[in-house]
Structure formats: structure tokens, C-alpha cells
Amino acid sequence: MLRRCCFMLVILCLLGIVLPVAAQNASNTPDNQGYLIVRNVIITGNKKTRTAIILRELSTVPGDTIYLKDLAETLEERRKQLLNTSLFLNVTANVKNWDGDHADLVFDVWERWYTFAFPIFKLADRNFNQWWVEKNHSLDRVNIGVKGTQGNLTGRNDELNAGIQVGYTQRISFSYSVPYIDKRYRHGLGISFAYSRNREVNDSTDFNKQLFFRQDGFVRQLYNVGLTYSYRPGINTRHRVMLAYNYEKVVDSVAILNPDYLGGGRTKVNYLDLAYRMEYVKADSWQYPLKGLRIMGEIGKRGFAGLNDINDFRIRLNVAKYWQLASKTYLATGLRSMAKFGADQPYINRQAMGYGDDYLRGLEYFVVDGTSFAIVKTSLRQEVLSTRFRLPVVPKKFSTVPLRIFVKAYGDGGYSYSKFPGNGELNNRMLYSGGFGLDIVSFYDTCLRIEYSFNQLGQKGLFLHTSIDM
């Protein structure tokens, strides 16, 4: 009995020694620990970009706690936050220097080329199909020139742009923007100037088609000077206040053909435009999002302080939501809308659907003028290819080109209100369209869309675009 008790006592003593040691060893093994505490956030690879600017884009700071079960997802989210700055070609994220429950997060960045001087070859028409089909791909409707861009000029993600072009529109432009001018990296400023002139002007609309007046001399001149103040309190939200002075002048013939072009038979107008815009983006990519949310809201006033030849008050709301339904299958739906108060607007201030990105896919050949509109778009995408290939001769750092291809089906609906619809058959009427196509996505924020669309008028055709659809 005594021997048995002594034996049990020895076993208990050994367990008392071994178990604490084992527990202590386990506590030093990252794989068995439930969390880590971020000791440092380290940035490597940046030669031009200031480290503080990069750290500003990360929502993880020293002292944060990350559960190990969330570690891989957290690192990927932070990596994408840096890619969304458009400063880098690639970013890698790692955990290094484990010591108990503390470790360093290390982000290695590959900086882009920031200096570009490239030729301008830009169509004067609203989209490729209008130029190719309706305007017989006339080279008289092409703008050519040169544009210089110096991105990340001082390492603060600031950008300087200057351009000069001839052709359909003769134009000179200059802009500079710096996202942060304060030590807390929240406040930014921007300035811009542009002057342009044309020998042709879209002076009216007939049956939802643009009509143009042309003569040998210049018929239209425009000046624009703008100031922008931005405030970005966090990663996902940015506020902007924009003030612009606008001046437009046309020849007498334009005012005679359409006295409503500038309103009241005028040949020149000048006005101030003040707008406040809020943007919220929480998505996996700001260039080609597949998961997340985008919101843009704006209120604006044209015409005040005695410079009020154009006078309106407007509200704009754009919303897009993105979901992943299954492996490589994605759904997106979006709203683009605007309400403009002051229905008696001159022709130049009645652009609604069909201009810029505010159009229904399948109705690219038409415009629907009005003072208010709403468009709903939905796309179902399936990724069919994700690969990389190398370019010859190009330096190794920049030679790898990512390529992703998506097949998609889509449907759009929209409505535009006009107090003076004239002979517009598409005004004040519910419109809808649909189709299927391909999205080809690569780096430097490029996207080529090849779409076969149809509309309620019984028309169908192949359309090309170079921007995302929502």
C-alpha cells in the first residue's frame, strides 16, 4: 500500500512539472494560439511613396488584436486596400517575427510607373458604336493630342495632369490634386483649368437622336476653372466640396437655329456651380468590384452670386451592390439617378439618359433628354479565366500582366422625365433592355466590355465599351 501511494505521488509530481511546461511551450506556438497582437506594421519596397501614406490606407494599426481564424482573410483585405490606391502593381502580406502572441505584419509593395506621356486618340461621339455606325467612323470626329501624367508626384498620391489636343475638339487642360495637406492625412485640395473650342456643336435633339450644326469657323468655346476640397475621415468614406466657374459662348447661327440652346436666344452664359459629394466604397476592388458596396450621393446648385445664367438645384444618387453567389459566380445590381429642380432649363442643361455612364445597355444610339431620370442595372458574371502572361522586352517588374475574363448576362431598366419631351418617343416612358457579353479585365484599371444587347424597340447589336458597367 505504501509503495502504491509513493508511486502515485511520483506520478503526480511528474505531471505537475510536465503539464505546465507543455502548456508554456504551447503558448509560444502560434498555431495553437487563438489570437495575435500586432506589434508593428512594416512597409517594404516603396521607393517613391511615403510610408505614412501607405499606412494611412490600412485599417490595422499596432496594438490591434487579430484572431488566428480570421488572419488569412484580414491580410487579404488589407492587401486589397493597398491595391485600391492604384499606387501599386502588386502587394504581398506576411506575418513575421512571432514572439508569443505578438507578431509583425509586413506588406511588400511593387510600385507602378507613375510618369506617363501618351498620345490622345479619343472619339468625339458618346460611344464607339455611335461613331462607327452612325458617323461612318469618320476621322473628322476624332481627337488627337498628347497627355502627360505625373502620378504620386511628391510621394503623397498626388497627381499632376496636363494635356493638349486637336481634331474635333481643340482643348488644353491642367489639373493638380493632393489628397492630404495635413498631418492627420484627412484634408485634400485640387485645382483644374480647361479651355476648348469646336467647329461643330450638338445644338438639338430630334426623335431621341442628336443633331449637329457645323461650319468652317469655331462655333463654340468653353472655359472651366475649378477648386475641390476633400475630407476623408476613414478608409471607406470621402467627402468633397467642388466649386467651378463655367463660361460658354456660341456663334449667332446656333442661337438662331435653336434659341433654347443657351436659353432665351442667348449666345453666351456664365455661371458658378457648387456641389457637395459623399462617396462610400467598401468593396474588394475599387476598379472592378465583385463583392461589396458603393454609394455616391451629391447635391449641387448652379447659378448664384450674380453668376446665374444657368440656374438649378440637383440631387444625385448612385448605388451599386455586389455579391458572390458561388465559386467564381457574382451578382451586381445598381441604381443611377438624378432629380433636377427647375424644369425650365435650356437645352445644354437637359442631358439625362444616354450621356456619360448614364445609359441603358442596348440603347447606346439614343439620348433621352430630361431633368430627372432613374436607371437600374443588374449583371450576373461568371469568371472563366484568371491567368498571367509575360511581356517581352519590358522590365521584369512590370512584365507580368494579369488577365481575367468574365461571361455575363444582364438586364437594365430606366425612366427619364422631361417637361418638354417634343417628339422624343423614349421620353416619359419606361424603358428596358438586356443582353450578354464578355468583360476582359487587366491591370492599370483597364476593362474591355464586349456586349450583345437588345431593347424593347426590337433592335439588337454588338457594342463595345472601355469602362465598368456600374
Side-chain angles (χ1 to χ4, degrees), residues 25-84:
N25 291 338
S27 68
N28 291 325
T29 304
D31 292 338
N32 295 329
Q33 183 67 352
Y35 63 90
L36 73 82
I37 299 174
V38 179
R39 183 193 300 108
N40 299 297
V41 179
I42 301 172
I43 307 297
T44 63
N46 55 314
K47 297 180 180 179
K48 177 80 172 180
T49 312
R50 300 186 184 187
T51 299
I53 294 297
I54 302 174
L55 293 175
R56 170 65 174 83
E57 299 300 324
L58 293 170
S59 51
T60 295
V61 298
D64 283 358
T65 298
I66 304 175
Y67 289 102
L68 293 186
K69 63 182 179 64
D70 301 325
L71 181 58
E73 181 180 356
T74 300
L75 290 178
E76 179 63 13
E77 287 180 356
R78 303 303 176 263
R79 190 183 76 87
K80 288 181 176 179
Q81 285 176 347
L82 295 184
L83 286 174
N84 284 334

Side-chain angles (χ1 to χ4, degrees), residues 143-398:
N143 296 311
I144 60 174
V146 62
K147 180 179 180 180
T149 297
Q150 176 60 64
N152 208 15
L153 178 64
T154 64
R156 295 180 294 171
N157 200 14
D158 49 338
E159 186 170 287
L160 175 68
N161 293 286
I164 183 169
Q165 73 178 37
V166 296
Y168 183 85
T169 299
Q170 295 185 1
R171 187 174 190 267
I172 57 172
S173 62
F174 165 86
S175 67
Y176 175 71
S177 63
V178 54
Y180 308 116
I181 59 173
D182 63 315
K183 294 182 179 180
R184 299 184 66 185
Y185 301 104
R186 293 186 177 183
H187 305 274
L189 290 175
I191 59 173
S192 64
F193 167 80
Y195 167 74
S196 62
R197 60 184 185 179
N198 299 78
R199 290 187 171 88
E200 182 176 271
V201 59
N202 166 215
D203 66 327
S204 59
T205 301
D206 187 42
F207 289 101
N208 299 112
K209 296 281 190 172
Q210 293 174 291
L211 298 183
F212 295 86
F213 170 75
R214 183 181 181 88
Q215 68 178 31
D216 292 336
F218 293 101
V219 300
R220 183 192 191 204
Q221 297 183 65
L222 297 96
Y223 293 89
N224 174 275
V225 180
L227 295 173
T228 301
Y229 161 76
S230 64
Y231 172 64
R232 190 182 179 204
I235 299 295
N236 307 113
T237 305
R238 188 187 298 270
H239 305 268
R240 286 189 174 95
V241 177
M242 299 162 287
L243 177 65
Y245 169 75
N246 297 274
Y247 174 87
E248 179 168 349
K249 180 181 179 181
V250 294
V251 296
D252 294 343
S253 300
V254 174
I256 294 172
L257 289 171
N258 183 8
D260 194 38
Y261 176 76
L262 294 178
R266 293 178 295 190
T267 59
K268 61 181 179 180
V269 294
N270 67 126
Y271 59 94
L272 289 174
D273 187 351
L274 178 65
Y276 162 74
R277 179 182 298 170
M278 186 281 293
E279 295 173 287
Y280 174 84
V281 182
K282 191 171 184 180
D284 58 339
S285 169
W286 293 0
Q287 284 73 43
Y288 190 86
L290 296 172
K291 295 181 291 183
L293 176 67
R294 302 178 68 142
I295 302 173
M296 189 281 285
E298 180 179 304
I299 58 174
K301 178 71 173 72
R302 290 190 180 99
F304 58 92
L307 299 172
N308 56 359
D309 292 334
I310 303 294
N311 199 329
D312 70 28
F313 176 78
R314 67 189 182 276
I315 300 175
R316 186 176 183 95
L317 177 64
N318 294 351
V319 180
K321 175 66 176 174
Y322 309 89
W323 298 270
Q324 181 173 6
L325 302 181
S327 177
K328 300 185 178 181
T329 303
Y330 306 92
L331 177 68
T333 186
L335 167 72
R336 305 183 67 87
S337 61
M338 183 184 68
K340 189 177 295 182
F341 301 94
D344 298 325
Q345 294 296 321
Y347 177 76
I348 62 167
N349 202 29
R350 294 203 299 263
Q351 294 184 345
M353 296 196 304
Y355 302 90
D357 293 327
D358 301 322
Y359 64 92
L360 275 67
R361 290 167 288 188
L363 286 170
E364 281 91 338
Y365 292 125
F366 300 94
V367 295
V368 188
D369 296 331
T371 51
S372 299
F373 71 88
I375 299 172
V376 176
K377 296 185 173 186
T378 300
S379 296
L380 181 65
R381 303 185 181 104
Q382 176 69 44
E383 186 180 66
V384 295
L385 178 66
S386 179
T387 187
R388 294 175 180 269
F389 62 91
R390 291 189 176 276
L391 296 174
V393 184
V394 179
K396 183 178 180 180
K397 181 178 178 180
F398 305 100

